[in-house]
Amino acid sequence: MTKNRFRLSLLSVTCGVMLLASCAGPDSEPLYKVNRLLMGTLVQITIVGTNPHAKAAAQAVIDEIQRVENLSSFHKPSALTRINEHAGRGPVRADPEILTLLEESIRLSRQMRGAFDPSLGPVSRLWNFSSGEPRLPPTSEIAQAMTKVKLNRIEIDAATGTVRLPEPGMALDLGGIAKGYALDRARQVMKRFGVNGALVNAGGDILTVGEKAPGHPWRVGVQDPRRGNAIVAVASVKDKIIVTSGDYERFFVKNGKRYHHILDPRTGYPTTGLRSVTIVATDGITADALATAVLVLGADEGLKLVESLQGIEALLVDSAGRVKLSSGAASIFELRL
Ligand code: AMP
Ligand code: MG
């Protein structure tokens, strides 16, 4: 494992993102376009149509995503790290917004049979992917950290506005839904400014508002997990959030083995079986948690979970590079294999 190799993999993510943006529809000049580094990734905002406040709307989206980062970051000081620092001590007063986000993440974790688990912090801290300098932890450290993964022991007290992690070493990680939440918030901001056509691409997780042009939905490429500048499918969407979790996003290779940033809460090790999962939904946090969870559950169980949820479709790329679709996904994705 080397720092350089990790940097390279991050670079390939950035290229993938540019590719996604470049296949976003018919060639007309956007009304306003801006890129920023936020939440550890490149965020691209494109606004189309006619709106006198497009620039202000884009700036407000940037500010909002920054605010979500300040609330939920796992490795930079945030409202969440303050809670984690108090593990094993008393309750911590927290912003009502982070309390709600935590409650939602616990609800989603239960709905997804624990495959998405916001209490996985002790284990993700060991792998250290979110800092950009990951490492392969010794087995004994993983086993020890796994004893601190306890969703049911998170104490949220809405009446006093506090959170308590009762055991030292417990830690919350919202990395699996933070970008989905940021996109949910971005949609609210766009609505407030009356924007009716926009695309926000947060490192490959995408919010679409309205259409690219009248009668032309947004077209979003799904990256091939093994060929950075190729796509496996194009999704045509309107007012949807598209989130992808994949083993190619943050990874390192050691002794010929790939280790990536999505961890199986049953083992504490990176998931195996699927290379990527793309979810199309209306709700960002559900889409984001689900992309992570399906990668953990694998194709059969994962697709069952997707089918049990209303209005959500999925495209999976398995370990042989084959594409699998949920039952309604064929009307969204055009395959490019
Ligand atoms: P995503 O790219 O949305 O799949 O999120 C990946 C991030 O979520 C990782 O960097 C970890 O911080 C966190 N994470 C990894 N595995 C899980 C999991 N099984 N459940 C919840 N969060 C996870
Ligand atoms: Mg996720």
Side-chain angles (χ1 to χ4, degrees), residues 1-293:
M1 166 186 60
T2 67
K3 211 160 143 183
N4 279 349
R5 181 167 287 151
F6 186 68
R7 290 254 157 80
L8 257 180
S9 75
L10 278 186
L11 197 67
S12 72
V13 175
T14 311
C15 293
V17 167
M18 287 193 292
L19 178 77
L20 288 170
S22 72
C23 54
D27 288 332
S28 58
E29 271 303 300
L31 183 60
Y32 188 73
K33 216 173 157 134
V34 62
N35 296 343
R36 279 295 152 78
L37 279 173
L38 294 162
M39 301 183 88
T41 196
L42 183 68
V43 175
Q44 301 173 305
I45 301 170
T46 307
I47 298 179
V48 296
T50 49
N51 186 309
H53 310 297
K55 188 175 176 185
Q59 185 56 50
V61 167
I62 289 169
D63 294 345
E64 186 64 5
I65 296 177
Q66 181 64 65
R67 205 182 60 78
V68 171
E69 182 175 8
N70 297 343
L71 207 64
S72 64
S73 177
F74 183 65
H75 74 281
K76 282 198 213 161
S78 68
L80 190 76
T81 57
R82 239 171 54 74
I83 296 168
N84 288 341
E85 281 158 13
H86 277 75
R89 295 194 263 149
V92 187
R93 275 197 76 78
D95 201 295
E97 189 176 356
I98 190 91
L99 294 187
T100 306
L101 190 57
L102 282 174
E103 273 165 353
E104 283 289 282
S105 73
I106 293 167
R107 179 185 63 78
L108 288 164
S109 182
R110 296 198 171 119
Q111 183 179 45
M112 293 167 193
R113 299 164 206 157
F116 161 77
D117 187 342
S119 74
L120 205 57
V123 187
S124 30
R125 190 180 269 158
L126 280 183
W127 289 92
N128 208 21
F129 277 102
S130 57
S131 76
E133 294 189 28
R135 66 181 192 116
L136 176 57
T139 323
S140 58
E141 285 185 27
I142 291 179
Q144 167 61 22
M146 285 291 284
T147 68
K148 303 287 181 183
V149 177
K150 293 182 174 179
L151 187 86
N152 293 333
R153 298 220 56 201
I154 304 168
E155 295 170 19
I156 299 174
D157 188 335
T160 55
T162 59
V163 189
R164 179 167 171 258
L165 303 179
E167 291 185 29
M170 281 178 73
L172 304 171
D173 178 2
L174 293 178
I177 56 163
K179 282 197 279 168
Y181 182 62
L183 293 178
D184 281 335
R185 298 297 317 165
R187 176 176 37 219
Q188 292 303 318
V189 172
M190 293 288 194
K191 199 172 164 194
R192 183 151 52 81
F193 279 83
V195 171
N196 47 26
L199 183 141
V200 179
N201 180 353
D205 293 344
I206 289 168
L207 160 74
T208 61
V209 176
E211 296 183 309
K212 167 137 199 199
H216 295 277
W218 290 100
R219 289 167 62 75
V220 174
V222 178
Q223 188 177 324
D224 183 322
R226 291 294 177 271
R227 291 181 299 151
N229 52 4
I231 54 173
V232 294
V234 178
S236 293
V237 283
K238 183 183 158 181
D239 293 317
K240 293 285 183 195
I241 285 179
I242 305 192
V243 170
T244 299
S245 283
D247 68 2
Y248 61 93
E249 293 178 303
R250 291 174 184 235
F251 70 95
F252 62 86
V253 177
K254 188 165 180 179
N255 299 330
K257 197 165 153 38
R258 173 187 289 254
Y259 296 92
H260 66 92
H261 72 311
I262 314 257
L263 306 171
D264 187 331
R266 295 165 295 198
T267 63
Y269 280 86
T271 64
T272 52
L274 288 174
R275 291 178 180 171
S276 75
V277 174
T278 300
I279 301 289
V280 180
T282 310
D283 178 53
I285 56 169
T286 305
D288 203 352
L290 190 59
T292 307

